[in-house]
Amino acid sequence: MSQDFDADVAIIGYGPSGVIAALTLARQGVSVVAFERDRDIYPRARAVTINDWTMRIFQNLGIDERIDKVIDPQRMLRWVTYAGEEVMRIEHPPSILGAGPRFYNIYQPTMEAELRAAAAEYRDLVTVRYGAEVTGVDQDEAGVTITTADPATGHSHSYRARYAIGADGGSSRTRGWIGARLDGDTADTLWIVIDCAVRRWWPDRDVLTFWTDRERPVVDIALSGGNHRWELPLMHGETEADFPTHAEVWPLLEAIGVTADDVDIHRYAFYRHHVRMADTWRNRRIFLVGDAAHLMPPWAGAGMQTGIRDAHDLGWKLGRVLRGALPETWLDTYEAERRPNATFYTDLAVRLGRVIRQEATPAEIDAMNAVPEGLVTPHEPPLTAPPTLAAGWIRGEIGDASIVGRMVPQPIVGDTAGRMTRLDDLLGDGFVLLGDDIDPATLLAPEEKAAWDALGARYVAVRPRNVHTRGSDDLVDLDDVLRPWLQRYRVRAVAVRPDRFVAADDVHGLTVPTC
């Protein structure tokens, strides 16, 4: 790195999205300086859940085992009325993306502390300026200049980086500095969030429950570490001033049968739901991730997770661009890939919100649970369906009958040395071509192989468990998962990106996609 730069990448905001960006970059040897106005982690739990896609990202970053120690499995969701009638239920199927549950309950302050501790281990690459408020961002052809102020001393500082990432939340100033407009709406209804410590177990305490009601719907969710949360809207005419102490909050919980024998209230706060998205997520060398780019209601449990996925997508690409392993044009794929996914979860959250407010018609509810006929891909409800790419660095058709854009399942596999572990642990963190009992390199024309070689791709044959391995990179499909998955889509080989999405297949051509 040139002496003119303090770091390769500057990150503005150091919540979960900012930390994941820092970890993803540091894992590739890229230096980071992060700026966080607050000196301590925000004490209130905001996000409440993560799923196996997010855990697979944590696995890629080498932190899944430490995170697994501070989160709990979630077994299902249900929508019930105050009269006890069950409106809708979603049972969580087993994960196909990793060896674990499909969903987890979290306590965000605890999980966030683990993320920061993991990033702190990259002490030679990650520098965090706590208590530094970013007051200005400017860019030129060579890099970005970030100006900060210390609120305690009033001293200002200037830093230089090659690129900058705005991870500074829904009130992002970075968004304004790059000229982005935040489109959408904010709901008028004010909600109260009540975080409690559990004193005793009650029936179905571990089932994520939405109490559906037109006037006072409730989100009732177990958090990890013996915590529990309820979220509910204030009635017309109620304000924050009506709840000055815990005494005024208790009647809200007692209405659904929760008493002081069950929990202790340890904090509560108020917020409004947003359905907003920035009109652009990038201005030359400056990018937006997480709430700085999009805000959604909480019903799909995807707000924080969408930010984490933004940061990982941008991070693995930006790191390779900075190392010279990928051309800068790859950065154009960031918003192209992430915006459709953020839009999907925003729309899903809005639809689920209509169910909890008893605004959804029976036909709408049936449509959410409907199972289309004649599908190639086994149907799952949108909330639990495995992730897919709708655009970006992929080649070929997308849709039910195509494998392109899908995330590769992650079973336990074996290698030629007899090791048996999760697929990703043996694939490494680069580009890989997988073949169904065939060396995928044999399916490539010389110019196609040269292009994949330039990306550092590996060529891996996935063998059935009842034959000998042949090449040093062969893997054994111990659980009979990968080969049937490839055969379902009638392909012999796929090209897999570092984030485990399929970029191309032999049916549409294994040529390297263009940016």
Side-chain angles (χ1 to χ4, degrees), residues 57-76:
I57 290 174
F58 292 164
Q59 179 187 350
N60 174 261
L61 300 177
I63 61 173
D64 57 314
E65 291 183 1
R66 68 191 299 164
I67 297 299
D68 188 59
K69 294 176 182 178
V70 298
I71 60 179
D72 296 328
Q74 179 189 111
R75 62 188 180 96
M76 74 174 196

Side-chain angles (χ1 to χ4, degrees), residues 108-174:
Q108 184 176 337
T110 302
M111 191 188 82
E112 199 167 333
E114 288 295 331
L115 294 178
R116 289 190 179 186
E121 294 176 1
Y122 291 90
R123 56 182 59 88
D124 294 334
L125 290 169
V126 178
T127 301
V128 185
R129 305 295 185 194
Y130 292 107
E133 182 172 357
V134 176
T135 57
V137 174
D138 193 21
Q139 61 180 316
D140 52 46
E141 292 302 316
V144 183
T145 301
I146 297 93
T147 305
T148 68
D150 186 329
T153 65
H155 294 159
S156 63
H157 298 274
S158 181
Y159 299 85
R160 285 281 288 170
R162 297 183 186 276
Y163 293 90
I165 298 173
D168 45 344
S171 58
S172 170
R173 299 174 73 183
T174 308

Side-chain angles (χ1 to χ4, degrees), residues 177-199:
W177 288 325
I178 70 169
R181 183 183 67 251
L182 190 62
D183 297 329
D185 299 299
T186 296
D188 292 332
T189 303
L190 187 67
W191 287 68
I192 184 172
V193 179
I194 309 167
D195 285 343
C196 300
V198 175
R199 292 174 58 88

Side-chain angles (χ1 to χ4, degrees), residues 141-328:
E141 292 302 316
V144 183
T145 301
I146 297 93
T147 305
T148 68
D150 186 329
T153 65
H155 294 159
S156 63
H157 298 274
S158 181
Y159 299 85
R160 285 281 288 170
R162 297 183 186 276
Y163 293 90
I165 298 173
D168 45 344
S171 58
S172 170
R173 299 174 73 183
T174 308
R175 188 173 56 232
W177 288 325
I178 70 169
R181 183 183 67 251
L182 190 62
D183 297 329
D185 299 299
T186 296
D188 292 332
T189 303
L190 187 67
W191 287 68
I192 184 172
V193 179
I194 309 167
D195 285 343
C196 300
V198 175
R199 292 174 58 88
R200 67 175 182 180
W201 189 271
W202 57 89
D204 288 327
R205 184 249 163 185
D206 59 334
V207 176
L208 200 170
T209 300
F210 297 98
W211 298 83
T212 68
D213 188 76
R214 286 188 177 274
E215 295 184 344
R216 188 83 91 181
V218 182
V219 181
D220 174 345
I221 181 170
L223 307 181
S224 62
N227 297 283
H228 205 95
R229 164 185 282 186
W230 288 269
E231 304 178 22
L232 58 163
L234 301 190
M235 304 288 281
H236 180 71
E238 290 179 332
T239 69
E240 295 182 41
D242 295 316
F243 302 91
T245 70
H246 292 181
E248 289 75 26
V249 174
W250 269 115
L252 301 176
L253 298 181
E254 290 166 349
I256 56 173
V258 180
T259 72
D261 292 331
D262 302 315
V263 298
D264 291 322
I265 298 175
H266 56 79
R267 63 176 58 88
Y268 60 94
F270 302 86
Y271 75 102
R272 285 184 169 85
H273 292 171
H274 305 278
V275 182
R276 293 182 175 272
M277 189 171 295
D279 64 334
T280 181
W281 297 10
R282 178 190 183 185
N283 184 326
R284 294 184 292 162
R285 292 180 171 271
I286 305 172
F287 300 82
L288 302 178
V289 302
D291 286 356
H294 44 74
L295 295 160
M296 65 185 70
W299 309 121
M304 178 193 71
Q305 294 193 90
T306 302
I308 285 173
R309 296 159 190 167
D310 294 344
H312 186 250
D313 183 279
L314 177 59
W316 74 259
K317 295 169 182 173
L318 182 55
R320 285 169 169 80
V321 168
L322 285 164
R323 285 171 23 216
L326 294 176
E328 191 176 24

